Amino acid sequence: MARLTRAFFARSTDVVARDLLGCRLVRRYADGSIEMGRIVETEAYPPGDPSSHAFKGQTARCRSMFARPGTVYVYRIYGAYFCLNIATEPEGVGAAVLVRGLDEVDGCNGPGRLCRRLAIDAALDGVDALARGGPLQILGAAARSSESLVTTTRIGLSKATDWRLRFYLLGSPGVSKRDREAERAAAPPGS
DNA sequence: CGTTGGATTGGCT
DNA sequence: GCCAATCCAACGC
């Protein structure tokens, strides 16, 4: 499994969101132990998106979205949960991909459950997901996925609800919410 | 199966 | 105050 490059994350947010499917998320704990899962569901929050935290400019909360690509952005949601994102686009541009689901490890379907399961909280905000030996690292896909790619609308928003910026691998148990309609138009592998 | 409401806290108006 | 890139338990059918 190859390490990813800074340039991988510097591209368009929707492209990064698609290409992260099949990549491995590595969680390295303070005692040195690790857990690893495969990313199977993502959402893009590109520049100019009215539902993005970065839409109205940089604030203390979302500053990691403007940091160099590959920076981890973690925020608290609904008081009780955290969501994990990775900054995209060139440094200074506020954009990120939300990681919504993993498989190969149980209990990581949905962004809140994923963070709870892997002990991801605000302490990890701002770390570099490209750093070897860091608490959170993303590795390239081992092989091209044999699953179809489903493109559909994002979850839980009140703005831009028709933007098709959620992506998932058809058939994975790590997917939080399926869209049967979109699955009929799913892109087969390699397309 | 579907829908509904409560939990819980930081950021913004 | 109000509300959020969520989750879960409790209902009704």
Side-chain angles (χ1 to χ4, degrees), chain A residues 91-154:
Chain A
E91 183 167 6
V93 178
V97 171
L98 170 67
V99 181
R100 292 189 53 92
L102 306 180
D103 66 12
E104 298 179 346
V105 2
D106 289 333
C108 288
N109 55 324
R113 275 190 287 258
L114 187 161
C115 286
R116 188 179 57 188
R117 173 66 181 75
L118 296 179
I120 293 166
D121 61 21
L124 294 182
D125 182 52
V127 310
D128 182 8
L130 296 179
R132 275 198 298 183
L136 215 47
Q137 187 178 7
I138 297 181
L139 300 175
R144 202 193 69 206
S145 172
S146 62
E147 296 132 295
S148 291
L149 172 63
V150 181
T151 301
T152 184
T153 52
R154 296 174 292 180

Side-chain angles (χ1 to χ4, degrees), chain A residues 9-24:
Chain A
F9 291 100
R11 298 174 300 157
S12 289
T13 305
D14 62 317
V15 172
V16 177
R18 275 187 288 263
D19 286 354
L20 278 175
L21 297 176
C23 291
R24 291 321 198 276

Side-chain angles (χ1 to χ4, degrees), chain A residues 3 29 37 39 64 83 92 128 165 182:
Chain A
R3 294 174 62 199
Y29 298 99
I39 298 172
S64 293
C83 288
D128 182 8
L165 291 176

Side-chain angles (χ1 to χ4, degrees), chain A residues 18-39:
Chain A
R18 275 187 288 263
D19 286 354
L20 278 175
L21 297 176
C23 291
R24 291 321 198 276
L25 180 73
V26 181
R27 174 75 170 101
R28 187 173 290 101
Y29 298 99
D31 68 358
S33 65
I34 66 169
E35 289 191 285
M36 195 181 322
R38 189 178 69 134
I39 298 172

Side-chain angles (χ1 to χ4, degrees), chain A residues 47-190:
Chain A
D49 172 8
S51 62
S52 169
H53 292 168
F55 184 61
K56 293 177 181 173
Q58 187 172 343
T59 66
R61 174 175 63 156
C62 71
R63 70 187 180 284
S64 293
M65 292 183 75
F66 292 80
R68 61 181 176 164
T71 299
V72 169
Y73 170 46
V74 178
Y75 64 89
R76 184 188 288 272
I77 186 72
Y78 296 110
Y81 299 96
F82 293 93
C83 288
L84 169 67
N85 307 255
I86 311 295
T88 56
E89 315 266 349
E91 183 167 6
V93 178
V97 171
L98 170 67
V99 181
R100 292 189 53 92
L102 306 180
D103 66 12
E104 298 179 346
V105 2
D106 289 333
C108 288
N109 55 324
R113 275 190 287 258
L114 187 161
C115 286
R116 188 179 57 188
R117 173 66 181 75
L118 296 179
I120 293 166
D121 61 21
L124 294 182
D125 182 52
V127 310
D128 182 8
L130 296 179
R132 275 198 298 183
L136 215 47
Q137 187 178 7
I138 297 181
L139 300 175
R144 202 193 69 206
S145 172
S146 62
E147 296 132 295
S148 291
L149 172 63
V150 181
T151 301
T152 184
T153 52
R154 296 174 292 180
I155 304 285
L157 306 182
S158 56
K159 299 169 189 164
T161 53
D162 59 336
W163 294 18
R164 301 175 71 81
L165 291 176
R166 184 164 72 100
F167 309 98
Y168 66 86
L169 295 180
L170 181 58
S172 171
V175 172
S176 63
K177 187 181 181 194
R178 299 179 61 178
D179 178 343
R180 307 288 176 148
E181 177 72 24
E183 287 179 7
R184 287 201 282 276

